[in-house]
């Protein structure tokens, strides 16, 4: 069963040189308790699609020209900002590409993890310390780190903090926007393993955005391929890798070291 169903989504940006259609009539679904990946090169519209769903496309210059995005019986694109804000961060969480930019440099790890819990009234103050300890354990960070600030951590550690913050409210759905692209290969593998394990442990549904098919292959159940604002191919990870239908998908596969895709 689909937790998120996106139909005919179109997004454009008005510039001094005219209107640029960034997302053109895109439809896809994300099945419950699965990881669905949207992949494409820079400018393909993959991130814009997801930001539009969450109400994060700046307007102006961006605008949603049409479409629906149904989540838990509600069309996210039809909600007011206040209604969407109540869902975002509680039922839907986001992990950004650059954890240093997404974390408040003036907040300790403790305060970073506590903020969404208190904001949404999910934990009593008397139980807050235990909730923070559990989150630290779940993302593989030493409890002694709770009083430190983001600048005191490595990139991989900061991404673990960001993942802990996203998990704090026990959301049903997580959008991960290139969450490992800024990390070296060894740390990438650790974070991907962590995300896969947490998805199973928490029963999460995830939409994973990436430009890297090698990364996607490690974590995704299904793949949607975007090119120039359009969704050009969608299928299971096995199907996309073994029998790609589109030339663009085959070109992405051919760029992976060690593959023989034609």
């Amino acid at each position: 069963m689909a937790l998120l169903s996106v139909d005919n989504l179109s997004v454009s940006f008005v510039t001094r040189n005219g209107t640029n259609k960034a997302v053109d009539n895109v439809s896809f679904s994300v099945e419950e308790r699965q990881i669905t990946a949207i992949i494409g090169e820079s400018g393909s519209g993959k991130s814009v699609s997801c930001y539009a769903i969450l109400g994060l496309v700046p307007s102006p210059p961006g605008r949603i020209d049409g479409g629906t995005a149904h989540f838990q019986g509600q069309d996210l694109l039809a909600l007011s900002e206040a209604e969407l804000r109540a869902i975002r961060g509680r039922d839907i969480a986001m992990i950004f590409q650059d954890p240093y930019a997404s974390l408040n440099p003036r907040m300790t790890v403790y305060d970073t993890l506590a903020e969404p819990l208190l904001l949404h009234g999910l934990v009593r103050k008397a139980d807050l310390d235990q909730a923070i300890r559990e989150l630290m354990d779940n993302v593989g960070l030493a409890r002694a780190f709770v009083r430190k600030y983001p600048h005191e951590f490595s990139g991989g550690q900061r991404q673990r903090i960001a993942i802990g913050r996203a998990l704090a409210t026990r959301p049903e759905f997580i959008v991960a926007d290139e969450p490992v692209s800024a990390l070296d290969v060894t740390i990438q593998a650790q974070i991907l393993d962590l995300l896969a394990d947490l998805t199973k442990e928490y029963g999460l549904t995830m939409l994973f955005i990436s430009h890297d098919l090698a990364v996607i292959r490690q974590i995704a159940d299904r793949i949607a391929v975007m090119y120039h604002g359009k969704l050009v191919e969608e299928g299971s990870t096995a199907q996309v890798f073994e029998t790609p239908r589109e030339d663009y998908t085959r070109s992405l596969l051919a760029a992976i070291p060690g593959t023989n895709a034609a």
Side-chain angles (χ1 to χ4, degrees):
M1 179 179 178
L3 183 62
L4 174 72
S5 295
V6 177
D7 293 295
N8 303 315
L9 176 65
S10 292
V11 183
S12 59
F13 289 86
V14 180
T15 71
R16 66 182 64 182
N17 297 319
T19 300
N20 172 38
K21 181 156 281 192
V23 179
D24 188 2
N25 204 37
V26 165
S27 299
F28 64 90
S29 61
V30 182
E31 297 297 312
E32 285 186 347
R33 302 195 176 193
Q34 287 194 357
I35 298 176
T36 296
I38 298 183
I39 189 161
E41 60 195 4
S42 179
S44 64
K46 59 187 186 299
S47 291
V48 173
S49 297
C50 299
Y51 279 51
I53 292 165
L54 298 179
L56 297 176
V57 171
S59 177
R63 70 185 186 204
I64 297 175
D65 297 320
T68 59
H70 285 98
F71 173 78
Q72 293 182 332
Q74 299 181 89
D75 180 6
L76 298 177
L77 302 184
L79 299 180
S80 68
E81 175 57 30
E83 291 170 327
L84 194 54
R85 195 183 304 120
I87 294 173
R88 202 171 52 216
R90 185 193 65 200
D91 300 315
I92 303 175
M94 188 151 188
I95 302 168
F96 294 92
Q97 178 179 4
D98 183 357
Y100 194 67
S102 66
L103 297 173
N104 188 330
R106 297 184 178 183
M107 293 175 66
T108 64
V109 174
Y110 186 97
D111 292 335
T112 296
L113 298 180
E115 184 179 50
L117 292 169
L118 296 175
L119 180 65
H120 294 286
L122 299 175
V123 175
R124 298 179 305 167
K125 286 190 175 182
D127 299 324
L128 190 56
D129 287 354
Q130 179 60 31
I132 300 299
R133 285 193 292 269
E134 290 177 1
L135 283 170
M136 296 289 284
D137 291 343
N138 286 342
V139 297
L141 287 172
R143 294 180 180 181
F145 289 169
V146 292
R147 298 303 173 186
K148 293 182 179 292
Y149 291 85
H151 72 272
E152 299 181 78
F153 296 96
S154 68
Q157 289 172 328
R158 284 196 289 265
Q159 197 59 287
R160 288 176 185 269
I161 297 167
I163 293 169
R165 180 181 172 85
L167 290 173
T169 60
R170 297 293 179 97
E172 286 192 62
F173 186 45
I174 287 182
V175 178
D177 184 16
E178 302 264 14
V180 299
S181 63
L183 307 175
D184 66 48
V185 175
T186 302
I187 304 302
Q188 276 189 8
Q190 294 175 8
I191 297 299
L192 288 172
D193 287 344
L194 175 64
L195 288 172
D197 291 344
L198 291 172
T199 299
K200 292 176 182 176
E201 180 181 347
Y202 281 72
L204 296 172
T205 304
M206 185 179 296
L207 184 59
F208 192 102
I209 307 164
S210 181
H211 66 277
D212 190 337
L213 266 174
V215 166
I216 291 304
R217 190 173 200 172
Q218 296 180 54
I219 195 168
D221 299 295
R222 293 186 61 80
I223 297 174
V225 182
M226 288 191 67
Y227 179 62
H228 285 181
K230 294 181 178 292
L231 193 148
V232 296
E233 183 157 357
E234 184 177 10
S236 70
T237 299
Q239 180 265 305
V240 170
F241 271 86
E242 294 169 12
T243 56
R245 296 187 300 270
E246 299 294 324
D247 289 342
Y248 177 66
T249 307
R250 286 192 283 271
S251 71
L252 291 176
L253 289 168
I256 301 174
T259 63
N260 298 312

